Amino acid sequence: MPVTPTRWLAEYAWLPEHAEPTPDVLIEVEAGRIAAVTPLIPGSRPPAGVEVYADATRLPGLTLPGLANAHSHAFHRALRGRTHGGRGDFWTWRDQMYAVADRLDPDTYLALARAVYAEMALAGITCVGEFHYLHHRPDGGAYDDPNAMGAALVEAAAHAGIRLTLLDTAYLSASVDGQPLAGPQRRFGDGDAGRWAERAGGFRPTDSHARVGAAVHSVRAVPADQLRTVADWARERQAPLHVHLSEQPAENDECRAVHGRTPTALLAEHGVLGPDTTAVHATHPTSADLTLLADSRTGVCLCPTTERDLADGIGPARRMADAGIRLSLGSDSHAVIDLFEEARAVELDERLRTRRRGHFAPLDLLTAAGVAGHAALGWADAGRIAVGARADLVTVRLDSARTAGVPPVGVFFAAGAADVEQVVVDGRVVVAEGRHLTVDVPTELSAAIEAVTPA
């Protein structure tokens, strides 16, 4: 029996390669894919208050393609509002993060990640890349199912109604010079890259919403002679490969001291860079590093709210874009889960650095938040309102206290996650009237965070 298509009439829709949103667009969805996109002829717009037009459901406001959160550590959400009481930097914050990591198990992580991913859905995020290194028990021993923690994340994303790329992360050493893991870090490690590959390769979720990629945590956490093992594992599977890169100046200094080169140069030497690789942060690259990233077609995922929360610095986004490096976005530590904020921060941070305005056009920001992020996570068929693409539709109100009077093209400079009215993922409504249809997000977040935060 043929599948009856669903028809949506968007007041405005942002179509691929269009500098501004298009008014009155009929979007037809069949079997989770966009079957037709038809801008209506002028004058055919339905009258105000009419909810159905030619069997189509109206979407008042601006409809965007689904947003992709290309870098997430779901358990960091438990730290929001708890790490700001004094001075410090990334390294002092990391100690507080480890305290939460030490308290998680597959059941508590499922509960927390389910609520966090549902919060992402409320923000218009239809796909997330989870940079996952909480592999084992707190003492470093394996669970009966060695991938129990990863399986919990896959299940959590299913409950929340979004897609997941599980970036199984190799985390093998505590420092650039190869110091062994200790304390809370013990649960991150597999011993060596060969054993990491064996465990990661044994996890093959059959759920259509999930796929597995790989990650090198950083040059601090994977010895140089084991980097290629991780890269080869990803390439053999045609899977995305991500890596934390030059997040703090100390990482660069330590890498130079031990290896005589920058982290980017070390990764290039050992085959980590490439078109399927995404470097996360890249806050402190040299000019030579940018050339290596561009020449290898490596992408960069910027996480501006985390980078400023941890006082890491401002990455050279405009120089990266000018070099041809594709940019995507992530919420990382979830100090905020709001891709609109991450996107506009790319432009606003450049203004702070240069004291000039106008570095990124609105379409550039939409591309980073949408199609580029999906591609970085291995979902090249998502992030565009176009025939054949996955039917991910995010409708943003244009009549809220933040967006009233704002032209649709200005949404990334005015709207926030709270303005998302409806979210459709693979043709299925997940959020309606600003509410998640299956998860009580505030209640579940409160309970899950209370269960894993130290008293």
Side-chain angles (χ1 to χ4, degrees):
M1 181 179 294
V3 177
T4 302
T6 300
R7 294 156 61 87
W8 307 94
L9 180 59
E11 181 181 7
Y12 293 94
W14 212 325
L15 304 181
E17 314 306 330
H18 286 224
E20 298 188 9
T22 301
D24 304 320
V25 177
L26 185 66
I27 303 168
E28 299 178 72
V29 173
E30 186 170 350
R33 298 275 176 171
I34 296 175
V37 179
T38 310
L40 301 185
I41 60 174
S44 65
R45 184 173 182 171
V50 176
E51 294 302 322
V52 178
Y53 177 77
D55 299 323
T57 301
R58 292 186 70 244
L59 297 174
L62 170 62
T63 297
L64 303 169
L67 307 180
N69 187 350
H71 190 66
S72 164
H73 301 288
F75 75 96
H76 290 190
R77 173 62 178 83
L79 295 169
R80 185 185 296 176
R82 298 173 184 269
T83 62
H84 309 288
R87 294 182 180 274
D89 56 14
F90 168 85
W91 307 101
T92 53
W93 170 88
R94 190 177 70 163
D95 292 338
Q96 295 170 288
M97 179 266 287
Y98 284 164
V100 172
D102 206 31
R103 296 170 65 90
L104 287 161
D105 60 35
D107 291 333
T108 55
Y109 207 9
L110 170 60
L112 178 58
R114 164 187 158 101
V116 173
Y117 294 156
E119 182 184 359
M120 292 184 193
L122 288 176
I125 293 165
T126 57
C127 184
V128 60
E130 184 63 34
F131 202 95
H132 168 56
Y133 52 82
L134 288 176
H135 301 307
H136 306 300
R137 299 180 189 274
D139 64 1
Y143 289 102
D144 293 339
D145 172 3
N147 289 295
M149 295 291 269
L153 293 166
V154 169
E155 184 177 352
H159 290 179
I162 67 174
R163 291 190 301 277
L164 169 79
T165 297
L166 186 75
L167 298 162
D168 196 296
T169 303
Y171 196 132
L172 307 172
S173 58
S175 60
V176 177
D177 61 0
Q179 292 298 310
L181 301 177
Q185 291 180 324
R186 290 179 298 173
R187 71 181 312 179
F188 308 161
D190 289 293
D192 58 40
R195 280 177 281 182
W196 167 84
E198 181 179 1
R199 180 193 51 73
F203 186 47
R204 298 184 177 89
T206 58
D207 315 68
S208 62
H209 75 287
R211 57 188 51 175
V212 177
V216 170
H217 179 274
S218 59
V219 297
R220 300 190 313 273
V222 177
D225 61 359
Q226 300 185 56
L227 290 168
R228 192 174 295 275
T229 298
V230 182
D232 288 348
W233 185 96
R235 302 246 160 77
E236 288 166 5
R237 290 160 176 76
Q238 297 182 311
L241 174 64
H242 288 216
V243 54
H244 287 139
L245 179 64
S246 292
E247 187 173 358
Q248 304 86 27
E251 177 184 314
N252 291 356
D253 295 342
E254 292 169 10
C255 192
R256 286 191 182 96
V258 174
H259 296 291
R261 64 209 70 198
T262 66
T264 303
L266 187 69
L267 295 176
E269 180 181 344
H270 292 279
V272 176
L273 304 185
D276 294 321
T277 299
T278 298
V280 181
H281 302 301
T283 308
H284 302 283
T286 65
S287 294
D289 290 339
L290 293 180
T291 298
L292 287 171
L293 293 171
D295 288 351
S296 62
R297 295 189 291 146
T298 299
V300 168
C301 176
L302 303 171
C303 306
T305 64
T306 290
E307 289 150 9
R308 69 190 182 204
D309 180 55
L310 299 182
D312 286 340
I314 300 172
R318 187 63 256 172
R319 289 177 61 201
M320 291 175 181
D322 288 342
I325 297 169
R326 67 186 185 276
L327 302 179
S328 55
L329 301 171
S331 63
D332 192 2
S333 69
H334 312 314
V336 177
I337 295 179
D338 188 335
L339 264 288
F340 299 96
E341 175 64 22
E342 303 293 348
R344 65 174 156 263
V346 175
E347 165 67 23
L348 297 181
D349 284 356
E350 281 292 314
R351 296 181 185 185
L352 284 175
R353 183 212 314 281
T354 64
R355 292 179 289 176
R356 289 187 295 105
R357 307 174 77 205
H359 300 272
F360 292 91
L363 180 59
D364 297 329
L365 304 181
L366 173 62
T367 298
V371 65
H374 287 285
L377 297 175
W379 304 88
D381 56 353
R384 297 159 58 90
I385 300 178
V387 173
R390 290 178 177 270
D392 297 347
L393 305 173
V394 175
T395 301
V396 181
R397 292 179 57 181
L398 294 176
D399 61 353
S400 74
R402 291 159 296 279
T403 60
V406 175
V409 72
V411 70
F412 277 104
F413 289 95
D419 298 309
V420 172
E421 182 74 359
Q422 178 167 298
V423 178
V424 176
V425 183
D426 287 328
R428 183 169 61 89
V429 178
V430 174
V431 172
E433 298 181 348
R435 293 183 177 273
H436 199 284
L437 295 185
T438 59
V439 180
D440 182 343
V441 178
T443 299
E444 293 198 20
L445 277 171
S446 295
I449 290 170
E450 182 179 0
V452 300
T453 50

